[in-house]
Amino acid sequence: MSKETVVVREFDAERDCSRVEIVERMCEVGPSGKMSLYTDLMGDPICRVRHSPAYLMLVAESRAEKEIVGLIRGCIKTVTCGNKLSRNGKNGSENNVHLPIYTKVAYILGLRVSPSHRRMGIGLKLVSRMEDWFREKGAEYSYMATEKDNEASLKLFIDRCGYSKFRSPSVLVQPVFAHRVRLPSRVTIFRLSPHDAEILYRRRFSTIEFFPRDIDSVLNNKLNLGTFLAVSGYTESWPGLDRFLSDPPESWAVLSIWNSKEVFRLEVRGASLVRRGFAKTSRLIDKALPWLRIPSVPEVFRPFGLHLLYGLGGEGPDSVRLTRALCGFAHNLAKEKGCGVVATEVASWEPLRLGIPHWKRLSCAEDLWCMKRLGEDYSDGAVGDWTKSPPGPSIFVDPREF
């Protein structure tokens, strides 16, 4: 089949859902011959982008057979790409304040081509059409994420589409055990209202790369389970955000939790009977003897959900320990909600990653984000070409795109 016999058009929910699901099932993630990861979108192929400010899904359909042989999703938002120094004079003095520089960025995810129709230019055609839509909407950059050893994806995006390697964050995954994680007695965890969480994030994190300008939409989304702040030694109730910001404790940490279980389910396929047997045995022992706190393997060989931790941050010498306490709290919440794993994505040099418990076998030490400049940079206080900027210690991972 030549690429001229394929039509790229917008996804039509009424007639395309079942056919898109077939393509998704044929495109499991993972090396050939080894365990693979299947993503079940639960009958809603566009669910992974529909919470973004602007989104589009395209399909590639064969002209003759009217068979869907490829698909791609994309979304657009405004994020921080750098910061600038501003002098804010008050009472005759000057205070240096770093302000965010925003740009309009697009994100590509869910590119799939049926195995029987690969190496025919379909992937390139889908990416090109999606980029046309990005430009129409005024996006200045486009980026995508893939495994660092995904040769086919890298060849398409870097060699043929002009993307360059940009950032290498880590995806850290922790299984949800049958027992609850014990939290430190000297740590107090407060739940912030969406309004307080927004103010805190804008005050403390708005200059971090990829911080979404519409953070309020994220925090008020029904999939957001809350924002939680951990401090040491607090014996009183929440003092209020104004007091916290004006006189913060020596150490604190914060994170938010996103309920990805309501968006998609995952399933590990291709595991041997030995692996399955070991996992089942660990769960049975953990359930029967929870006080032993055995790190059991959840049932990941059937569809399972996950909670995503995002917006991680903190300050002070005890912030790593407080981050670990928050992750324990998130684990226990995921256990109550019936999730199989808790995941997060952080920059390679994120100082707080030492406090994020995870299993190496389930995690990805080096994910790869590739970026392309679509046109001139019209961002406020331009940073030049963002694709050439050095990485910072942190990135803000938008849960709507995970």
Side-chain angles (χ1 to χ4, degrees):
M1 178 183 294
S2 65
K3 58 184 178 182
E4 288 77 16
T5 63
V6 173
V7 176
V8 174
R9 60 171 175 80
E10 190 170 340
F11 167 77
D12 184 333
E14 291 187 2
R15 58 174 172 153
D16 294 338
C17 277
S18 59
R19 294 188 294 167
V20 164
E21 186 177 352
I22 293 174
V23 178
E24 291 276 9
R25 287 186 175 275
M26 290 189 295
C27 299
E28 298 170 351
V29 179
S32 177
K34 297 183 180 180
M35 289 192 297
S36 59
L37 189 65
Y38 168 65
T39 305
D40 180 7
L41 300 180
M42 300 185 293
D44 186 5
I46 208 167
C47 64
R48 293 188 68 182
V49 292
R50 70 164 64 255
H51 295 282
S52 298
Y55 59 89
L56 178 69
M57 180 171 174
L58 300 173
V59 297
E61 183 180 55
S62 59
R63 291 181 185 272
E65 297 85 0
K66 300 299 180 182
E67 175 189 3
I68 291 181
V69 296
L71 55 106
I72 192 172
R73 302 172 183 87
C75 54
I76 303 173
K77 62 182 179 180
T78 299
V79 304
T80 299
C81 63
N83 64 81
K84 58 185 178 181
L85 192 63
S86 173
R87 291 182 176 178
N88 183 21
K90 290 183 178 181
N91 300 323
S93 63
E94 287 189 351
N95 297 317
N96 292 332
V97 179
H98 288 274
L99 300 177
I101 299 174
Y102 292 107
T103 189
K104 205 169 187 178
V105 66
Y107 180 58
I108 291 176
L109 74 162
L111 174 61
R112 303 282 189 266
V113 177
S114 174
S116 60
H117 292 81
R118 291 173 182 170
R119 299 184 180 179
M120 298 179 180
I122 296 174
L124 178 61
K125 194 169 185 178
L126 285 165
V127 172
S128 297
R129 283 288 300 275
M130 184 61 75
E131 288 181 350
D132 289 342
W133 180 73
F134 291 160
R135 293 187 180 93
E136 290 174 6
K137 297 297 182 181
E140 299 167 39
Y141 297 92
S142 172
Y143 78 107
M144 50 76 69
T146 187
E147 299 87 359
K148 65 176 183 178
D149 55 356
N150 189 332
E151 295 181 4
S153 181
L154 295 178
K155 184 176 182 180
L156 170 63
F157 281 94
I158 294 178
D159 296 346
R160 305 193 66 184
C161 297
Y163 286 69
S164 57
K165 297 179 181 180
F166 186 62
R167 299 291 182 259
S168 300
S170 300
V171 179
L172 307 179
V173 181
Q174 175 78 344
V176 176
F177 309 130
H179 65 268
R180 292 175 61 84
V181 172
R182 182 179 298 165
L183 303 182
S185 58
R186 293 282 296 169
V187 173
T188 303
I189 297 177
F190 298 106
R191 177 171 183 163
L192 303 184
S193 68
H195 177 263
D196 282 356
E198 177 190 352
I199 295 176
L200 177 61
Y201 277 131
R202 291 195 188 279
R203 292 278 187 91
R204 298 287 185 167
F205 304 104
S206 63
T207 57
I208 293 176
E209 274 191 326
F210 292 96
F211 180 84
R213 196 170 195 170
D214 66 334
I215 184 65
D216 53 319
S217 296
V218 179
L219 297 171
N220 284 288
N221 192 290
K222 64 180 181 180
L223 296 176
N224 191 58
L225 296 179
T227 299
F228 303 91
L229 180 76
V231 295
S232 295
Y234 256 58
T235 58
E236 55 187 81
S237 59
W238 172 238
L241 187 65
D242 290 339
R243 180 180 167 188
F244 175 84
L245 291 173
S246 62
D247 185 24
E250 182 182 27
S251 297
W252 57 274
V254 66
L255 61 75
S256 297
I257 304 175
W258 187 265
N259 187 11
S260 296
K261 181 183 177 182
E262 300 303 318
V263 180
F264 59 85
R265 305 288 177 91
L266 301 171
E267 180 181 349
V268 176
R269 295 179 174 178
S272 66
L273 291 177
V274 174
R275 288 180 183 270
R276 290 173 177 266
F278 170 77
K280 184 176 181 180
T281 300
S282 70
R283 290 194 303 274
L284 290 174
I285 298 176
D286 193 9
K287 188 174 181 179
L289 307 170
W291 58 87
L292 293 179
R293 303 187 182 279
I294 294 174
S296 56
V297 182
E299 178 56 275
V300 294
F301 309 115
R302 297 178 182 176
F304 65 92
L306 70 84
H307 282 176
L308 177 70
L309 311 185
Y310 72 98
L312 281 81
E315 295 178 358
D318 206 23
S319 57
V320 170
R321 186 177 74 92
L322 295 175
T323 297
R324 182 174 295 276
L326 284 173
C327 290
F329 175 86
H331 169 280
N332 294 342
L333 179 61
K335 181 180 182 301
E336 294 174 8
K337 300 291 186 179
C339 286
V341 301
V342 174
T344 189
E345 188 165 13
V346 295
S348 301
W349 298 325
E350 170 59 60
L352 297 180
R353 67 177 295 162
L354 295 175
I356 303 173
H358 62 280
W359 278 17
K360 186 176 180 179
R361 182 177 292 275
L362 298 177
S363 303
C364 176
E366 189 177 335
D367 201 14
L368 182 60
W369 290 8
C370 299
M371 180 175 282
K372 175 181 179 178
R373 190 178 186 182
L374 296 175
E376 293 300 322
D377 189 347
Y378 301 109
S379 55
D380 181 21
V383 295
D385 188 350
W386 189 20
T387 64
K388 295 179 173 58
S389 64
S394 303
I395 55 174
F396 197 101
V397 175
D398 194 325
R400 297 172 296 188
E401 299 173 359
F402 188 81

